Amino acid sequence: MAALASALAHQPHARAVLLHDLAHGPVHAYVFYGPGGTGKRECARLFAAELLASGARDPDAARRHALVGSHPDLTWVVPTGAHAMRVEDVAEPVVAQAGQTPLLGAHRVFVIERAETMSADVANRLLKTLEEPPPYAYFVLVTDFLGRLLPTVVSRCRQVRFEPLPRPVIEERLRADGVAAEKARECAHLAFGNLERARRLASGEGEQALRLAQGLVAAWLRGDVEDAPLLDVQEHATQRAEQARSEVLARFEEIAEGSGRAKRALERQAAEVARREERRARSEALGFVLFLAAALLRDLALAAAGCGDELPLSQVAREVAQHTASGPLAFARAAERVERTRLALALNPAEDVALEALSLECARDLAAATARN
């Protein structure tokens, strides 16, 4: 339990709920909710390990197997759809398997990631199992968006809230990963409490995404509505999508080697999975660049408001703020517009139209604000 307590050090609500329940008896279902990158997935695995260790002949071995994903009584579900969970993701792995007694220990644990992607059909398929769970089964739903879950599902679960991580904590983790101090500081600042995002920012991919976001913002400040910055962003997303597709096909090729008659069926399955991963990777890459563009615009709003001395603003915001007279309100409104577009693309990817409209509106508003000042 020490590992779980340590992972929850900066999550007071989750720490209080989970450690209390482990000491006095867990309920059958939980929903871990809160912003991404706050440790929900790690804590779900550690919590599952403790549940599986309870009543096991060898608790330490049960924990070890759970933590490396090899415990036969731990089922971990990740949506296989590009933007949504499919019925097949829960029908057999969760609903059917929950009716079978544990293979090794006293309990079975089912963890469902990105639970907000469950459609009504998927959620209803799971609902009866949550309403009448077997006595040995525990369920942990993990989501960044509690409001997108069906209320009937949420009502069957104990809610466990996770908060954004403090910036100094993220900075410390990055430095422990070997990231240079100044870079760790800026990545922690731009990540808005999300450790996963901060680590991604510190990578080569993150550096490229930040340059693209800077290019977008710089073009909007000039009132530039040419296609070049958008085309660069879309080309980046295309490359990420093609990489994801290639990785899926390479994995299936290894599996299909020597499969005989089953090879054709595996190839069809590979093509379907590759298409979903391609769409997911493209959406994720676009969303990351747009998130960074919104973050830079918020920084510019703060710098324009004279908060640069009190807050650890990104270097690019400090530099741009010296060369523009735009007021903080114009930057704040542009940041809100970018964020709305990012969220809309995640749900309904009409990419070209949404990005072109965003660029035109931001360039118009920011250039007009600069002209007035």
Side-chain angles (χ1 to χ4, degrees), residues 63-357:
R63 287 190 187 91
R64 286 196 303 272
H65 286 299
L67 293 177
V68 299
S70 61
H71 198 296
D73 293 324
L74 173 60
T75 299
W76 199 282
V77 174
V78 178
T80 59
H83 299 287
M85 189 175 296
R86 302 189 302 162
V87 171
E88 301 95 295
D89 294 335
V90 300
E92 174 61 29
V94 180
V95 176
Q97 293 295 323
Q100 300 180 15
T101 56
L103 298 170
L104 186 63
H107 306 295
R108 299 198 72 155
V109 180
F110 301 86
V111 179
I112 302 175
E113 281 193 47
R114 292 169 56 200
E116 75 278 358
T117 65
M118 288 191 293
S119 65
D121 287 344
V122 176
N124 287 327
R125 183 70 67 94
L126 181 64
L127 191 57
K128 184 172 178 59
T129 303
L130 292 178
E131 290 173 336
E132 302 175 7
Y136 49 77
Y138 296 104
F139 303 87
V140 180
L141 280 60
V142 182
T143 180
D144 294 353
F145 305 99
L146 183 66
R148 295 182 188 173
L149 284 173
L150 282 184
T152 48
V153 169
V154 175
S155 69
R156 269 68 177 180
C157 303
R158 177 160 291 173
Q159 297 179 32
V160 182
R161 185 177 69 250
F162 284 74
E163 305 287 353
L165 292 173
R167 184 189 56 76
V169 171
I170 294 180
E171 187 175 343
E172 181 183 344
R173 300 275 183 89
L174 292 178
R175 295 186 66 176
D177 291 345
V179 179
E182 185 60 28
K183 186 173 183 179
R185 173 182 173 277
E186 182 162 21
C187 290
H189 167 66
L190 288 172
F192 282 80
N194 186 321
L195 178 58
E196 294 174 9
R197 186 182 292 134
R199 284 177 166 147
R200 187 175 178 184
L201 259 172
S203 69
E205 179 209 348
E207 292 175 356
Q208 183 182 10
L210 183 56
R211 285 195 299 270
L212 290 167
Q214 291 169 356
L216 278 178
V217 173
W220 295 339
L221 286 168
R222 296 191 304 267
D224 186 354
V225 295
E226 295 296 326
D227 292 338
L230 283 180
L231 290 175
D232 289 342
V233 172
Q234 290 178 298
E235 176 60 26
H236 168 70
T238 298
Q239 291 173 359
R240 297 295 299 172
E242 290 175 349
Q243 180 183 347
R245 177 182 177 82
S246 297
E247 289 173 355
V248 169
L249 294 177
R251 289 198 301 270
F252 270 89
E253 188 174 343
E254 292 179 6
I255 296 171
E257 189 68 30
S259 58
R261 294 181 179 178
K263 186 173 183 179
R264 182 166 295 180
L266 285 171
E267 288 174 346
R268 287 196 297 269
Q269 184 181 1
E272 181 183 351
V273 173
R275 282 194 296 271
R276 292 198 300 267
E277 281 301 295
E278 188 176 13
R279 291 196 300 270
R280 182 200 57 76
R282 183 178 187 85
S283 176
E284 187 178 84
L286 283 173
F288 190 41
V289 173
L290 291 178
F291 172 85
L292 293 174
L296 293 173
L297 287 164
R298 292 190 190 99
D299 266 11
L300 287 167
L302 292 169
C307 301
D309 294 334
E310 292 79 19
L311 296 170
L313 302 184
S314 59
Q315 184 61 32
V316 68
R318 295 177 184 279
E319 293 173 357
V320 171
Q322 295 174 0
H323 302 289
T324 180
S326 291
L329 187 57
F331 290 125
R333 286 175 174 168
E336 290 176 5
R337 184 174 286 117
V338 174
E339 186 64 10
R340 285 198 302 271
T341 300
R342 182 180 75 87
L343 295 175
L345 283 174
L347 296 173
N348 184 22
E351 181 185 307
D352 289 341
V353 173
L355 290 177
E356 288 174 9

